[in-house]
Amino acid sequence: MITTTDNNSNQPLVSLREIQELSIAITAKSLNPAMLTVDFLKYSGIVPPDWELNGQPVLNPNYAQVNFQNGISIVAQPRKITFVEIINSPDSLNLKLPEIVGLYLDKLPLAEYQALGIAPKSIVPLPSSPDAAKKYITETLLAPGPWHNFGIAPLQAGINLLYQLETSQLSVGINEVKLQLPDGKTLAALLFAGNFNYNLAEGSDRLNLLKQYLGQWQKDLEIFRELVTQRFLERQPPVFPSNINLPLGPRIVTGK
Protein backbone atom coordinates (compact mmCIF):
# COMPACT_ATOMS: atom_id res chain seq x y z
CA MET A 1 0.00 0.00 0.00
CA ILE A 2 1.11 3.60 -0.53
CA THR A 3 1.85 4.27 3.13
CA THR A 4 5.67 4.51 3.29
CA THR A 5 6.90 7.34 5.52
CA ASP A 6 10.69 6.94 5.17
CA ASN A 7 11.42 10.20 3.34
CA ASN A 8 14.74 12.00 3.16
CA SER A 9 16.56 14.43 0.93
CA ASN A 10 18.50 11.64 -0.78
CA GLN A 11 15.40 9.91 -2.13
CA PRO A 12 14.67 10.16 -5.85
CA LEU A 13 11.85 12.45 -6.83
CA VAL A 14 9.10 11.29 -9.13
CA SER A 15 6.12 13.07 -10.54
CA LEU A 16 3.03 11.96 -8.65
CA ARG A 17 1.27 11.69 -11.96
CA GLU A 18 3.14 8.40 -12.27
CA ILE A 19 1.77 5.08 -11.08
CA GLN A 20 3.06 4.53 -7.56
CA GLU A 21 1.94 1.02 -6.70
CA LEU A 22 1.25 -2.17 -8.61
CA SER A 23 -0.44 -5.24 -7.20
CA ILE A 24 -1.08 -8.55 -8.93
CA ALA A 25 -3.67 -10.86 -7.39
CA ILE A 26 -4.26 -14.49 -8.30
CA THR A 27 -7.21 -16.62 -7.22
CA ALA A 28 -7.17 -20.40 -7.27
CA LYS A 29 -9.15 -23.20 -5.63
CA SER A 30 -6.21 -24.76 -3.84
CA LEU A 31 -4.10 -21.83 -2.63
CA ASN A 32 -3.16 -22.31 1.02
CA PRO A 33 -1.82 -19.37 3.08
CA ALA A 34 0.29 -21.75 5.19
CA MET A 35 2.50 -22.32 2.14
CA LEU A 36 3.66 -18.70 2.09
CA THR A 37 6.87 -18.89 4.09
CA VAL A 38 10.17 -17.08 3.61
CA ASP A 39 11.97 -20.43 3.25
CA PHE A 40 9.62 -21.51 0.46
CA LEU A 41 9.99 -18.21 -1.40
CA LYS A 42 13.80 -18.21 -1.20
CA TYR A 43 14.63 -21.92 -1.52
CA SER A 44 12.32 -22.32 -4.51
CA GLY A 45 13.98 -19.38 -6.26
CA ILE A 46 10.85 -17.22 -6.37
CA VAL A 47 12.69 -14.38 -4.63
CA PRO A 48 16.47 -13.89 -4.44
CA PRO A 49 18.12 -15.25 -1.27
CA ASP A 50 19.62 -11.85 -0.40
CA TRP A 51 16.27 -10.05 -0.10
CA GLU A 52 15.95 -8.70 3.45
CA LEU A 53 12.72 -8.76 5.41
CA ASN A 54 10.94 -5.61 6.52
CA GLY A 55 9.47 -6.83 9.80
CA GLN A 56 8.42 -10.19 11.12
CA PRO A 57 6.40 -12.34 8.68
CA VAL A 58 2.83 -13.25 9.59
CA LEU A 59 1.83 -16.89 9.19
CA ASN A 60 -1.38 -18.58 10.30
CA PRO A 61 -3.89 -20.96 8.66
CA ASN A 62 -6.01 -18.17 7.14
CA TYR A 63 -3.56 -15.36 6.52
CA ALA A 64 0.11 -14.94 5.68
CA GLN A 65 2.16 -11.87 4.85
CA VAL A 66 5.81 -11.34 3.96
CA ASN A 67 7.24 -7.84 3.49
CA PHE A 68 10.65 -7.13 1.97
CA GLN A 69 12.74 -3.99 2.37
CA ASN A 70 12.74 -3.34 -1.39
CA GLY A 71 9.01 -2.48 -1.29
CA ILE A 72 7.62 -5.86 -2.37
CA SER A 73 5.01 -7.55 -0.21
CA ILE A 74 3.19 -10.87 -0.63
CA VAL A 75 -0.11 -11.57 1.12
CA ALA A 76 -1.94 -14.91 1.04
CA GLN A 77 -5.49 -15.76 2.08
CA PRO A 78 -7.56 -18.84 1.32
CA ARG A 79 -7.88 -19.11 -2.48
CA LYS A 80 -6.04 -15.85 -3.12
CA ILE A 81 -2.48 -14.51 -3.16
CA THR A 82 -1.55 -10.87 -3.80
CA PHE A 83 1.86 -9.51 -4.79
CA VAL A 84 2.45 -5.78 -4.23
CA GLU A 85 5.32 -3.52 -5.29
CA ILE A 86 5.83 0.10 -4.30
CA ILE A 87 7.23 1.89 -7.33
CA ASN A 88 10.31 3.87 -6.33
CA SER A 89 11.63 4.81 -9.75
CA PRO A 90 10.44 7.26 -12.40
CA ASP A 91 10.52 4.27 -14.78
CA SER A 92 7.44 2.40 -13.59
CA LEU A 93 7.98 -0.28 -16.23
CA ASN A 94 11.23 -1.42 -14.63
CA LEU A 95 9.48 -3.58 -12.03
CA LYS A 96 10.44 -6.83 -10.32
CA LEU A 97 6.89 -7.90 -9.51
CA PRO A 98 5.74 -9.54 -12.78
CA GLU A 99 8.86 -11.72 -12.85
CA ILE A 100 8.27 -12.79 -9.23
CA VAL A 101 4.65 -13.70 -10.04
CA GLY A 102 5.78 -15.69 -13.09
CA LEU A 103 8.28 -17.66 -10.98
CA TYR A 104 5.55 -18.36 -8.43
CA LEU A 105 3.31 -19.78 -11.18
CA ASP A 106 6.16 -21.97 -12.43
CA LYS A 107 6.60 -23.48 -8.96
CA LEU A 108 2.87 -24.11 -8.42
CA PRO A 109 1.49 -25.11 -11.83
CA LEU A 110 -1.35 -27.29 -10.47
CA ALA A 111 -3.16 -24.77 -8.26
CA GLU A 112 -6.41 -24.68 -10.31
CA TYR A 113 -6.11 -21.00 -11.15
CA GLN A 114 -9.33 -19.04 -11.69
CA ALA A 115 -8.63 -15.33 -12.13
CA LEU A 116 -5.95 -12.65 -12.37
CA GLY A 117 -6.12 -9.04 -11.25
CA ILE A 118 -3.57 -6.40 -12.25
CA ALA A 119 -4.15 -3.34 -10.08
CA PRO A 120 -2.19 -0.08 -10.48
CA LYS A 121 -2.63 2.91 -8.15
CA SER A 122 -1.66 6.52 -8.69
CA ILE A 123 -1.79 9.55 -6.40
CA VAL A 124 -2.28 13.02 -7.88
CA PRO A 125 -1.55 15.94 -5.51
CA LEU A 126 -3.71 19.04 -5.72
CA PRO A 127 -1.80 21.92 -4.15
CA SER A 128 -4.23 24.64 -5.14
CA SER A 129 -6.44 24.37 -2.03
CA PRO A 130 -7.24 21.96 0.83
CA ASP A 131 -10.60 21.06 -0.73
CA ALA A 132 -9.38 20.79 -4.35
CA ALA A 133 -9.82 17.00 -4.46
CA LYS A 134 -13.34 17.22 -3.06
CA LYS A 135 -14.28 19.90 -5.57
CA TYR A 136 -12.85 17.92 -8.48
CA ILE A 137 -15.02 14.91 -7.64
CA THR A 138 -18.20 16.76 -6.69
CA GLU A 139 -18.04 19.64 -9.20
CA THR A 140 -16.15 18.24 -12.21
CA LEU A 141 -16.95 14.52 -12.29
CA LEU A 142 -20.49 14.78 -10.89
CA ALA A 143 -23.27 16.81 -12.44
CA PRO A 144 -24.60 19.63 -10.25
CA GLY A 145 -27.95 19.17 -8.59
CA PRO A 146 -29.94 19.75 -5.40
CA TRP A 147 -28.53 16.55 -3.94
CA HIS A 148 -25.20 18.39 -3.49
CA ASN A 149 -26.62 20.49 -0.66
CA PHE A 150 -27.91 18.13 2.02
CA GLY A 151 -26.94 17.63 5.63
CA ILE A 152 -24.77 19.78 7.86
CA ALA A 153 -21.37 19.21 6.22
CA PRO A 154 -20.00 19.50 2.66
CA LEU A 155 -20.70 16.53 0.42
CA GLN A 156 -18.01 13.84 0.31
CA ALA A 157 -17.96 11.47 -2.63
CA GLY A 158 -16.00 8.75 -4.37
CA ILE A 159 -16.46 7.46 -7.91
CA ASN A 160 -16.39 3.84 -9.08
CA LEU A 161 -16.31 3.17 -12.82
CA LEU A 162 -16.27 -0.04 -14.87
CA TYR A 163 -14.88 -0.32 -18.40
CA GLN A 164 -15.20 -3.39 -20.62
CA LEU A 165 -11.96 -3.95 -22.52
CA GLU A 166 -11.10 -6.55 -25.13
CA THR A 167 -9.81 -9.23 -22.74
CA SER A 168 -10.56 -7.80 -19.30
CA GLN A 169 -12.78 -5.56 -17.24
CA LEU A 170 -11.16 -2.44 -15.82
CA SER A 171 -12.59 -0.99 -12.64
CA VAL A 172 -11.41 2.45 -11.52
CA GLY A 173 -12.04 4.03 -8.15
CA ILE A 174 -11.45 7.77 -7.67
CA ASN A 175 -11.32 9.03 -4.10
CA GLU A 176 -10.22 12.07 -2.14
CA VAL A 177 -7.25 11.51 0.18
CA LYS A 178 -4.90 13.57 2.31
CA LEU A 179 -1.14 13.09 2.07
CA GLN A 180 1.13 13.63 5.05
CA LEU A 181 4.37 15.18 3.86
CA PRO A 182 7.80 14.81 5.51
CA ASP A 183 7.42 18.22 7.21
CA GLY A 184 4.15 17.14 8.83
CA LYS A 185 1.91 19.19 6.55
CA THR A 186 -0.95 17.61 4.62
CA LEU A 187 -1.81 17.97 0.97
CA ALA A 188 -5.08 17.28 -0.79
CA ALA A 189 -4.84 14.58 -3.45
CA LEU A 190 -6.80 12.19 -5.61
CA LEU A 191 -6.23 8.45 -5.46
CA PHE A 192 -6.90 6.60 -8.73
CA ALA A 193 -7.11 2.85 -8.07
CA GLY A 194 -7.49 0.56 -11.06
CA ASN A 195 -8.01 -3.18 -11.42
CA PHE A 196 -7.78 -5.15 -14.66
CA ASN A 197 -9.75 -8.33 -13.96
CA TYR A 198 -9.08 -11.41 -16.11
CA ASN A 199 -11.27 -14.47 -15.67
CA LEU A 200 -9.94 -17.85 -16.80
CA ALA A 201 -12.58 -19.72 -18.76
CA GLU A 202 -13.61 -23.25 -17.84
CA GLY A 203 -11.94 -25.85 -19.99
CA SER A 204 -9.09 -23.59 -21.04
CA ASP A 205 -5.39 -24.18 -20.46
CA ARG A 206 -5.63 -21.95 -17.42
CA LEU A 207 -1.97 -21.79 -16.49
CA ASN A 208 -0.82 -20.74 -19.95
CA LEU A 209 -3.74 -18.35 -20.30
CA LEU A 210 -2.86 -16.83 -16.92
CA LYS A 211 0.75 -16.35 -18.01
CA GLN A 212 -0.45 -14.79 -21.27
CA TYR A 213 -2.59 -12.27 -19.39
CA LEU A 214 0.23 -11.59 -16.93
CA GLY A 215 2.45 -10.76 -19.91
CA GLN A 216 0.13 -7.83 -20.72
CA TRP A 217 0.99 -5.95 -17.52
CA GLN A 218 2.96 -3.22 -19.35
CA LYS A 219 0.08 -2.64 -21.74
CA ASP A 220 -2.36 -2.47 -18.82
CA LEU A 221 -0.26 0.10 -16.98
CA GLU A 222 -0.06 2.22 -20.11
CA ILE A 223 -3.85 2.00 -20.57
CA PHE A 224 -4.36 3.06 -16.95
CA ARG A 225 -1.86 5.91 -17.22
CA GLU A 226 -3.48 7.18 -20.41
CA LEU A 227 -6.95 7.00 -18.87
CA VAL A 228 -5.90 8.95 -15.79
CA THR A 229 -3.68 11.58 -17.42
CA GLN A 230 -5.54 12.16 -20.69
CA ARG A 231 -9.18 11.40 -19.89
CA PHE A 232 -9.38 12.76 -16.33
CA LEU A 233 -6.51 15.11 -15.52
CA GLU A 234 -6.49 16.98 -18.81
CA ARG A 235 -9.98 18.21 -18.05
CA GLN A 236 -8.48 20.59 -15.49
CA PRO A 237 -4.91 21.38 -16.64
CA PRO A 238 -4.35 24.35 -14.28
CA VAL A 239 -5.20 22.16 -11.27
CA PHE A 240 -2.77 19.37 -12.16
CA PRO A 241 0.66 20.97 -12.75
CA SER A 242 3.13 18.54 -14.29
CA ASN A 243 6.02 19.89 -12.25
CA ILE A 244 4.69 18.84 -8.82
CA ASN A 245 7.31 16.54 -7.35
CA LEU A 246 7.50 15.07 -3.86
CA PRO A 247 9.75 12.50 -2.19
CA LEU A 248 8.37 9.04 -2.80
CA GLY A 249 6.21 7.58 -0.10
CA PRO A 250 3.93 10.38 1.22
CA ARG A 251 1.58 8.76 3.72
CA ILE A 252 -2.17 8.68 3.15
CA VAL A 253 -3.58 9.91 6.44
CA THR A 254 -7.26 9.96 5.64
CA GLY A 255 -9.73 9.36 2.88
CA LYS A 256 -11.82 12.34 3.88
Side-chain angles (χ1 to χ4, degrees):
M1 297 181 180
I2 308 174
T3 56
T4 304
T5 57
D6 182 17
N7 294 287
N8 58 68
S9 60
N10 294 323
Q11 281 189 302
L13 298 181
V14 58
S15 168
L16 291 185
R17 283 177 174 237
E18 293 299 311
I19 294 164
Q20 290 200 314
E21 178 185 292
L22 175 67
S23 66
I24 298 175
I26 297 169
T27 58
K29 292 182 180 179
S30 53
L31 286 180
N32 183 355
M35 296 179 60
L36 184 64
T37 67
V38 177
D39 286 346
F40 167 69
L41 292 172
K42 290 190 174 183
Y43 295 158
S44 64
I46 294 174
V47 304
D50 60 347
W51 279 18
E52 297 183 8
L53 292 173
N54 184 18
Q56 185 68 25
V58 177
L59 182 62
N60 61 55
N62 293 312
Y63 184 86
Q65 182 171 354
V66 179
N67 299 326
F68 295 99
Q69 291 187 6
N70 60 5
I72 289 182
S73 300
I74 306 175
V75 177
Q77 298 169 281
R79 301 167 64 106
K80 185 176 182 179
I81 185 167
T82 304
F83 302 79
V84 181
E85 181 170 2
I86 303 298
I87 297 173
N88 58 7
S89 168
D91 181 8
S92 61
L93 299 184
N94 185 25
L95 302 179
K96 304 179 182 70
L97 199 68
E99 179 183 359
I100 297 301
V101 177
L103 290 171
Y104 178 88
L105 296 175
D106 289 340
K107 300 302 178 183
L108 296 172
L110 304 178
E112 297 183 85
Y113 295 106
Q114 296 176 305
L116 168 72
I118 298 177
K121 290 182 180 178
S122 183
I123 294 177
V124 179
L126 307 180
S128 58
S129 70
D131 59 353
K134 184 192 309 293
K135 287 185 175 181
Y136 178 77
I137 293 176
T138 59
E139 298 179 10
T140 300
L141 297 184
L142 297 176
W147 54 273
H148 272 88
N149 302 311
F150 186 79
I152 61 174
L155 172 68
Q156 296 176 343
I159 304 292
N160 291 298
L161 305 170
L162 185 64
Y163 299 94
Q164 182 62 54
L165 306 182
E166 185 175 350
T167 57
S168 67
Q169 280 191 330
L170 169 60
S171 62
V172 179
I174 307 171
N175 288 279
E176 171 194 358
V177 296
K178 300 288 186 182
L179 300 179
Q180 182 175 312
L181 306 182
D183 60 5
K185 296 179 181 179
T186 60
L187 181 67
L190 290 170
L191 174 63
F192 290 85
N195 187 22
F196 294 83
N197 183 51
Y198 294 89
N199 287 315
L200 306 179
E202 292 282 349
S204 62
D205 185 348
R206 293 188 177 189
L207 179 60
N208 285 333
L209 188 58
L210 179 56
K211 289 182 177 181
Q212 177 183 328
Y213 290 151
L214 177 63
Q216 298 183 186
W217 68 271
Q218 290 183 332
K219 179 181 177 182
D220 287 348
L221 262 62
E222 188 56 36
I223 290 172
F224 180 74
R225 179 182 284 109
E226 179 181 347
L227 178 65
V228 171
T229 60
Q230 297 185 22
R231 303 300 178 97
F232 287 104
L233 303 191
E234 290 304 318
R235 298 188 62 180
Q236 299 259 319
V239 180
F240 302 98
S242 60
N243 61 346
I244 289 296
N245 289 276
L246 294 172
L248 281 171
R251 185 164 65 94
I252 298 176
V253 292
T254 177
K256 303 297 183 183

